[in-house]
Amino acid sequence: MAILVVGGAGYIGSHAARALQRAGYEAIIYDSLVNGHRRLTEGFELIEGDIADQGKLRSALKRVDGVMHFAAHAYVGESVQNPRKYFQNNVEAALGLLNETIDAGIRRFVFSSTCAVYGDPAKVPITEDNPRQPVNPYGTSKLFCEFALEAYDRAYGLRSARLRYFNAAGADDSGEIGELHNPETHLIPLALAATGDGSELNIFGTDYPTPDGTCIRDYIHVNDLADAHVRALQHLEKGGESVALNLGTGRGDSVLDVIKAAEAATGRTVKRKLGPRRPGDPPVLVADAARAQKVLGWRATRLLPEIVSSAWKWMKTVQRSS
Ligand code: UFG
């Protein structure tokens, strides 16, 4: 069984491609390499192409039985500054991919969605029934694709899994792949970097209504996410219905908890400063992942210390090889 991993040279896509391969699938990576990295595709067939290139997509889709779609811009702040870029890629080009998928006769689609579709949730832990009211163009772009997938299911029988990630972090144990964002904006790599490269971690807000005053997030290991993708695909293969699922651990950790975990993993101090809140950050985002467990038999297996240690191991590999 062959799967087109669109955006497979990126952080989460490269882990999903490996999870597919380990589960016995042929994973073909489709990526423009604009934000993706060739080094993350080693051991895979790579089709170099943009998702807006419908001709190239068409010929790639002829060779596969299902699609996993990861190719999206994913910086919340940038999406507020430059919504056009987000709607062009995450909505317009993604719709082109959906149309080509349908036209190729493929009826299985696993979609990278996000907890950003919930916006500022009315209730935490967040269940899938929480109202979807994104508060930034990034979340809006992902929600549009969710709506499109729901409509395409009803109209054309395209069955999909819309997987709503919480905070993806960590790296594969192989040391071959991990997070390589440019610029890096995520807390865990920045906290690790601030133990040794002279940088200082800016803590965005210490006056949130949380026990230590900093934001709480649900950090999930990227391999747990990747595993859920394989299971979601298998669910669709077995004739399972389209689903939307939260992927998180169900546990919340504050920014200060992450700093402590980074200090434990590295044996060094995280240099830090206290800053104002970052606009658009909800105080607490934690998943209720019961539905993923029920539908896929999946649950996250790694918590913060292991996530941070694996990110640290990867960061040292990158430093050695650059
Ligand atoms: N944080 C800091 N300092 C930093 C970076 C982050 O204090 O330098 C804090 C943030 O305020 C937040 C937490 O650390 O409370 C996590 O921030 P990240 O930037 O690592 O992750 P986000 O929660 O902002 O973003 C994640 C995904 C997005 C997704 C979003 C949904 O990376 O793709 O959740 O809210 F859209």
Side-chain angles (χ1 to χ4, degrees):
M1 183 87 58
I3 305 298
L4 195 66
V5 185
V6 181
Y11 172 44
I12 301 173
S14 62
H15 286 81
R18 268 171 183 67
L20 283 168
Q21 204 175 52
R22 287 170 185 156
Y25 290 89
E26 184 191 354
I28 301 174
I29 292 178
Y30 186 97
D31 202 295
S32 67
L33 299 184
V34 172
N35 294 310
H37 303 268
R38 193 180 292 280
R39 79 179 269 186
L40 303 184
T41 68
E42 272 167 30
F44 293 84
E45 179 184 349
L46 168 67
I47 302 174
E48 219 175 306
D50 197 283
I51 55 162
D53 184 343
Q54 298 206 357
K56 199 164 238 178
L57 268 180
R58 197 168 304 143
S59 57
L61 287 164
K62 283 200 183 110
R63 301 173 46 204
V64 298
D65 310 284
V67 175
M68 286 192 183
H69 175 36
F70 299 91
H73 297 309
Y75 293 117
V76 170
E78 184 187 52
S79 79
V80 176
Q81 305 301 325
N82 192 357
R84 183 173 177 163
K85 174 175 175 181
Y86 277 70
F87 294 140
Q88 221 148 40
N89 186 74
N90 296 8
V91 174
E92 208 177 314
L95 197 56
L97 169 62
L98 284 191
N99 291 336
E100 291 299 335
T101 299
I102 291 290
D103 291 347
I106 296 167
R107 293 294 178 266
R108 294 169 198 143
F109 199 97
V110 179
F111 176 64
S112 281
S113 192
T114 168
C115 62
V117 298
Y118 298 115
D120 232 329
K123 183 169 77 46
V124 179
I126 304 170
T127 59
E128 290 82 356
D129 306 324
N130 237 277
R132 288 174 291 173
Q133 293 167 335
V135 292
N136 52 60
Y138 168 65
T140 306
S141 71
K142 291 287 181 173
L143 181 55
F144 173 84
C145 291
E146 289 203 4
F147 286 146
L149 285 165
E150 290 162 19
Y152 279 28
D153 185 5
R154 286 189 291 269
Y156 313 124
L158 176 65
R159 277 176 307 111
S160 70
R162 282 100 56 201
L163 303 180
R164 298 179 185 151
Y165 312 157
F166 282 65
N167 285 55
D172 188 53
D173 296 324
S174 66
E176 290 165 1
I177 51 172
E179 200 163 1
L180 280 177
H181 291 122
N182 186 20
E184 187 51 79
T185 62
H186 293 107
L187 177 63
I188 290 178
L190 290 178
L192 289 169
T195 64
D197 72 356
S199 64
E200 221 175 18
L201 177 72
N202 191 358
I203 299 177
F204 293 145
T206 51
D207 60 349
Y208 281 100
T210 60
D212 67 21
T214 66
C215 279
I216 291 179
R217 294 287 179 274
D218 183 335
Y219 294 92
I220 174 160
H221 194 282
V222 64
N223 273 353
D224 279 331
L225 280 185
D227 172 41
H229 285 71
V230 174
R231 288 171 187 256
L233 183 68
Q234 289 165 343
H235 162 81
L236 298 175
E237 272 166 13
K238 282 187 287 195
E241 284 180 4
S242 294
V243 274
L245 300 171
N246 286 340
L247 298 181
T249 62
R251 202 195 127 107
D253 289 294
S254 72
V255 174
L256 295 186
D257 292 331
V258 170
I259 290 175
K260 279 186 214 132
E263 292 184 333
T266 59
R268 303 179 193 163
T269 305
V270 174
K271 278 180 64 183
R272 73 198 79 167
K273 61 180 176 200
L274 308 180
R277 293 182 179 195
R278 182 172 66 177
D281 274 343
V284 182
L285 291 174
V286 175
D288 179 332
R291 190 189 284 176
Q293 177 156 17
K294 188 161 166 242
V295 177
L296 306 181
W298 172 90
R299 60 196 296 245
T301 60
R302 301 169 214 220
L303 294 177
L304 190 66
E306 206 178 330
I307 293 172
V308 174
S309 302
S310 74
W312 178 232
K313 184 174 158 199
W314 164 247
M315 198 176 262
K316 286 189 292 185
T317 310
V318 174
Q319 280 161 357
R320 270 198 303 276
S321 64
S322 59

